[in-house]
Amino acid sequence: MSSDEAPPLELQGVVKRYGDFIAVSEVSLRVERGEIFALLGPNGAGKTTLISCITGLTRADAGSIRVFGADVLNDFRQTRRDVGLVPQEVNFDPFFTPRESLMIQMGLMGTEPDRAHVDALLRTFALYDHRDAYTRALSGGMKRRLLVAKALVHRPRLLFLDEPTAGVDVELRQDLWAEVVRLRDEGTTVILTTHYLEEAEELSDRIGVLRSGELIVVEDREALMDRHRAHRVVLQLDRALTALPDGLYPGAEIANRTLTVPFQGTDGLQTILSAVKQQAEIVDLRFEETRLEDVFMSLVSGP
């Protein structure tokens, strides 16, 4: 299969150990061209370790990893040119300017120098006016922008974003995701990790969930949400309850005078309202639908 036909990423039985600790356990995954794939999991689930195995920062102990059909160990020069990585940590030489950092990165990735491309990236990420400042003088948000520009300077076909919006302001987050969508629309495949689950819910085409190093779910976003979709009614009561009324669905929660209860169907809602009215008057109510955060918590805390 040629690189033009092969998937951007294909994993088969990938394992990474640190002594007796298994950080990544038998992970198999295929990511398709031109999709945004959200790789989610709690801290310590193995997301960054798996990305490090793919991008060449560490070596898997077992299994195979292919990027556009090329093996990341045997064809590492090719695979690293195809991959861009925005890491969690800010990693710059403080004595280079943004323009110099991008030009050096092009050389490191084996790409011909292209000043016009570098300046275009600096403009895209609002860094052009600071192109000749030392990177140590940039704000935290500007350094994040420069990380993304470095990952894109060699025009990778597969882009990894490892918590790219951690600690940045809302404006930068929105600008970054607009750029990610543009890249996806132009054919770049994007794999992201984020603790801002509303971002994954809005942007991703498919979602994978890691728990304790195991990939427990890989599913289309809409299919995943539909499979776990439920409705909740939030009731404001005239007084606080000391205990939940009998007959409510599992997952009901009470806080002072606010009672939140999942339900299914009109009959289920009527049952809830009848049970609550035996103990308190309902002052107000509103409805909520399942969010990705709810699905995520259910998956990572389940058996």
Side-chain angles (χ1 to χ4, degrees), residues 8 11 123 195 211:
L11 312 178
R123 288 189 175 92
H195 286 296
R211 184 180 67 191

Side-chain angles (χ1 to χ4, degrees), residues 200-231:
E201 184 172 358
E202 181 176 347
L203 291 166
S204 62
D205 300 299
R206 285 196 302 152
I207 291 172
V209 178
L210 276 171
R211 184 180 67 191
S212 301
E214 297 183 4
L215 191 60
I216 60 173
V217 169
V218 176
E219 198 165 351
D220 177 84
R221 180 197 59 194
E222 288 302 321
L224 178 65
M225 296 298 295
D226 287 343
R227 188 160 60 85
H228 290 267
R229 195 174 301 282
H231 299 282

Side-chain angles (χ1 to χ4, degrees), residues 33-198:
R33 288 175 180 262
E35 72 173 335
I36 298 178
F37 185 91
L39 183 63
L40 307 179
N43 290 332
K47 303 184 299 296
T48 297
T49 300
L50 182 60
I51 290 173
S52 296
C53 292
I54 298 166
T55 57
L57 298 178
T58 192
R59 178 176 291 199
D61 295 305
S64 67
I65 304 172
R66 292 187 173 276
V67 173
F68 293 101
D71 184 86
V72 297
L73 296 180
N74 298 327
D75 303 305
F76 64 89
R77 289 184 177 85
Q78 179 59 48
T79 60
R80 292 182 190 181
R81 279 195 293 267
D82 281 331
V83 169
L85 170 64
V86 180
Q88 291 187 32
E89 300 82 11
V90 175
N91 53 1
F92 299 119
D93 188 315
F95 299 103
F96 289 124
T97 68
R99 178 183 271 163
E100 290 170 339
S101 294
L102 296 185
M103 294 296 292
I104 291 169
Q105 185 72 8
M106 292 187 87
L108 291 173
M109 301 306 295
T111 304
E112 290 293 324
D114 187 342
R115 179 78 166 264
H117 178 52
V118 164
D119 285 351
L121 283 173
L122 292 172
R123 288 189 175 92
T124 294
F125 293 102
L127 291 169
Y128 189 76
D129 290 344
H130 305 274
R131 61 193 179 278
D132 296 321
Y134 288 129
T135 55
R136 67 176 184 270
L138 300 179
S139 69
M142 291 176 184
K143 290 175 181 177
R144 280 283 168 189
R145 289 188 176 101
L146 186 53
L147 278 179
V148 181
K150 280 185 66 178
L152 294 174
V153 75
H154 60 292
R155 297 182 176 90
R157 297 190 287 170
L158 176 61
L159 177 64
F160 287 90
L161 303 172
D162 194 5
E163 299 288 350
T165 59
V168 304
D169 59 45
V170 173
E171 182 180 7
L172 174 56
R173 188 175 298 136
Q174 291 175 343
D175 290 345
L176 176 59
W177 292 132
E179 181 64 15
V180 167
V181 171
R182 185 190 67 80
L183 289 166
R184 189 271 307 275
D185 291 344
E186 292 180 353
T188 303
T189 302
V190 179
I191 298 176
L192 69 93
T193 74
T194 179
H195 286 296
Y196 298 103
L197 297 184
E198 66 273 15

